[in-house]
């Protein structure tokens, strides 16, 4: 059995343990240190400054909300089956979202002092999957389709 010397924590020799001490011990055992991804960031530099900045965080949340709204608009109003067949406004907005999310991911990645620590942050891992999917769909697949179709003559099927 684990026993503590309670004599130092008695309230004026009454034999009762000091309640303040008991509360502090209980709190120390129950309070966890809050996780903060910025503990893995560089202490200086542009990328860590951007990644930590509250305006950057609020802007990113706003872009996420706008992107959710845009997905709804795109689903209902875009006649194109793929990005290259979509009207220009749909292509421009999709590329703008992709650029912002790629920039946001890059700033956060560069902010990590040790790059492998990014794997400890599950939000960063999740965002990495989302951004890589968006880049693949918006830029890589479009590029592949354009390359494949450019060698196929004038009947590309995109117009």
């Amino acid at each position: 059995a684990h026993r503590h010397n309670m004599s130092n924590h008695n309230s004026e020799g009454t034999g009762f343990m000091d309640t303040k001490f008991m509360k502090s011990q209980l709190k120390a055992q129950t309070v966890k240190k809050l996780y903060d991804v910025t503990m893995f960031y560089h202490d200086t530099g542009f990328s860590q400054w951007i990644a930590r900045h509250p305006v950057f965080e609020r802007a990113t949340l706003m872009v996420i909300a706008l992107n959710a709204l845009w997905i709804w608009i795109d689903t209902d109003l875009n006649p194109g089956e793929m990005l290259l067949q979509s009207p220009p406004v749909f292509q421009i907005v999709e590329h703008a979202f992709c650029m912002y999310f790629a920039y946001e991911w890059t700033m956060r990645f560069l902010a990590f002092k040790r790059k492998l620590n990014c794997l400890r942050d599950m939000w960063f891992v999740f965002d990495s999957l989302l951004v890589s999917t968006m880049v693949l769909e918006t830029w890589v697949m479009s590029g592949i389709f354009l390359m494949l179709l450019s060698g196929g003559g004038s009947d590309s099927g995109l117009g």
Side-chain angles (χ1 to χ4, degrees):
H2 187 100
R3 297 186 181 184
H4 294 284
N5 180 0
M6 302 287 184
S7 62
N8 293 336
H9 304 293
N10 287 348
S11 214
E12 299 176 12
T14 62
F16 293 104
M17 193 169 178
D18 184 7
T19 57
K20 287 183 183 179
F21 174 74
M22 285 175 44
K23 286 180 184 178
S24 70
Q25 289 297 101
L26 183 60
K27 188 175 182 178
Q29 291 176 7
T30 58
V31 173
K32 281 185 167 181
K33 186 177 179 182
L34 292 177
Y35 173 76
D36 183 10
V37 67
T38 62
M39 68 184 173
F40 296 119
Y41 287 179
H42 287 284
D43 296 322
T44 60
F46 180 73
S47 296
Q48 68 82 30
W49 178 78
I50 288 288
R52 292 177 198 262
H53 205 286
V55 172
F56 183 66
E57 185 176 337
R58 284 192 299 272
T60 299
L61 291 174
M62 184 184 304
V63 172
I64 290 169
L66 289 172
N67 186 244
L69 180 65
W70 181 255
I71 290 170
W72 170 50
I73 292 168
D74 184 62
T75 302
D76 284 354
L77 302 177
N78 186 351
E81 289 185 28
M82 56 189 269
L83 186 60
L84 292 173
Q85 295 172 326
S86 299
V89 67
F90 290 95
Q91 293 185 39
I92 291 167
V93 172
E94 195 65 33
H95 286 290
F97 279 122
C98 194
M99 284 189 308
Y100 182 83
F101 288 129
Y103 175 78
E104 185 256 347
W105 183 90
T106 302
M107 288 298 104
R108 289 176 49 216
F109 179 74
L110 292 175
F112 282 95
K113 193 179 297 186
R114 289 188 58 236
K115 302 308 179 216
L116 283 177
N117 280 336
C118 71
L119 299 175
R120 292 178 163 193
D121 184 51
M122 289 301 111
W123 279 116
F124 187 82
V125 172
F126 177 68
D127 289 347
S128 297
L129 292 172
L130 291 177
V131 172
S132 61
T133 300
M134 187 175 214
V135 166
L136 181 71
E137 180 184 17
T138 306
W139 294 336
V140 176
M141 295 300 288
S142 293
I144 290 171
F145 283 127
L146 286 173
M147 284 190 296
L148 289 174
L149 297 172
S150 67
S154 62
D155 186 22
S156 66
L158 292 177

